[in-house]
Amino acid sequence: MVHPSVAAPVTPARRHYIADSLARVDGLQEFLSIHFGLPDGDGWRRCSDMLADPGSFDSWRTSLGERLKAEYGSAPDRTTAGYVMSWYLSVPAYLAGWLFHHERRVPSVRPEHLAFHLDHGQHRPIGVALLAPEFACLPSDPAAGTPNVTVVPDEHALAALLRGRFAAHATRFVDTFGPTVRFGRRTLWGAATDALDTSLWLAGRLAGEVGPAAADASLVLPDAMDPFTSASTLRPNGTPEWTRRRESCCFRYLVAPDSVCGTCPRSCPKG
């Protein structure tokens, strides 16, 4: 758990641009509350604290397992590990994906610059907070040239920066979480690929911009660029909606055999 006093003070002048961006994207969605600075209240966890203590993931899985046992009667290790893996990776991916798609800004997603709020009932993230004012943007951005802002030449460079910053955070997670579970590198990085691709998809879908979101996903994940396991798998499915094929499995089917995700790699063919 973290406390507001841990974060460095941020003056109104320093927080203006990124705080406004976060407020705008927060108003477009309801999956995770999005904040600048650490809100008051319990349940907030700094990502760097989690990654410094592998046991915190074990505790998270134990609490989740108790909920799954109450709901389904069982809580296989692969299911609790799959849920926690996907949920944690969604924190940096979601924030970065929404800011990239709607604002053409890429924040710092270093573990010490992110915190998330864990719901005590469902044991899943319900909020994310950015704790640093730094971000990158394009030359046309009104924030270009102001303190804490890095300007990159074009959208390809901005997409590469997003991909690199997320990969750096995901690497820390894989190195910490990987030894605690029976997942190989392919599964762990498949989940990271899913988190990034899905976040860009949601950023457009919830705003009625699926086509542009798919273009952004292809810009960020144009190929299977190591350590990611594939290019974006977003594609039309014959209706106004789009779909994608997951690279990893959440193992929900182990507790709910009749509940199959539409994007599950066990049932959704490649291509």
Side-chain angles (χ1 to χ4, degrees):
M1 182 181 299
V2 294
H3 304 280
S5 59
V6 176
V10 180
T11 66
R14 288 178 60 198
R15 64 174 288 172
H16 171 73
Y17 286 110
I18 196 63
D20 285 354
S21 281
L22 293 172
R24 284 191 290 268
V25 297
D26 183 52
L28 296 173
Q29 55 80 51
E30 298 179 348
F31 283 168
L32 292 176
S33 62
I34 298 175
H35 307 267
F36 181 73
L38 199 65
D40 293 331
D42 295 331
W44 286 94
R45 305 181 182 203
R46 190 188 291 268
C47 290
S48 56
D49 290 343
M50 296 288 294
L51 295 177
D53 177 18
S56 62
F57 290 104
D58 293 334
S59 298
W60 186 358
R61 290 179 58 198
T62 297
S63 299
L64 172 61
E66 292 172 356
R67 195 263 287 178
L68 293 178
K69 286 178 182 177
E71 185 173 353
Y72 298 105
S74 66
D77 286 346
R78 279 187 295 169
T79 304
T80 60
Y83 275 32
V84 166
M85 172 180 66
S86 296
W87 286 345
Y88 180 89
L89 288 165
S90 73
V91 169
Y94 197 78
L95 187 72
W98 277 79
L99 284 176
F100 179 81
H101 178 71
H102 290 286
E103 300 285 314
R104 280 303 188 256
R105 292 174 174 175
V106 174
S108 169
V109 292
R110 295 173 62 178
E112 59 268 32
H113 293 161
L114 291 179
F116 64 95
H117 189 249
L118 200 62
D119 176 79
H120 292 299
Q122 295 295 312
H123 304 290
R124 65 175 298 167
I126 57 172
V128 58
L130 178 64
L131 309 180
E134 295 86 4
F135 65 94
C137 67
L138 299 173
S140 59
D141 193 298
T146 62
N148 304 306
V149 175
T150 299
V151 179
V152 298
D154 54 37
E155 290 186 339
H156 289 279
L158 197 65
L161 187 63
L162 186 160
R163 185 171 59 247
R165 288 183 174 182
F166 175 74
H169 190 141
T171 296
R172 292 271 303 276
F173 172 74
V174 168
D175 290 345
T176 299
F177 186 71
T180 72
V181 295
R182 296 180 178 179
F183 291 159
R185 183 181 185 277
R186 175 65 175 72
T187 295
L188 292 160
W189 278 105
T193 305
D194 287 332
L196 191 53
D197 201 22
T198 299
S199 292
L200 290 160
W201 181 23
L202 288 174
R205 190 179 76 183
L206 295 181
E209 302 170 355
V210 182
D216 280 352
S218 293
L219 193 64
V220 174
L221 292 171
D223 297 296
M225 305 173 74
D226 191 66
F228 299 102
T229 59
S230 78
S232 171
T233 63
L234 275 168
R235 62 184 185 273
N237 66 353
T239 73
E241 291 296 323
W242 287 53
T243 190
R244 67 178 303 277
R245 180 187 186 275
R246 287 178 59 94
E247 287 287 293
S248 65
C249 184
C250 64
F251 299 102
R252 176 180 169 82
Y253 73 91
L254 294 177
V255 296
D258 296 330
S259 178
V260 179
C261 302
T263 58
C264 180
R266 300 172 62 247
S267 59
C268 185
K270 288 188 176 182

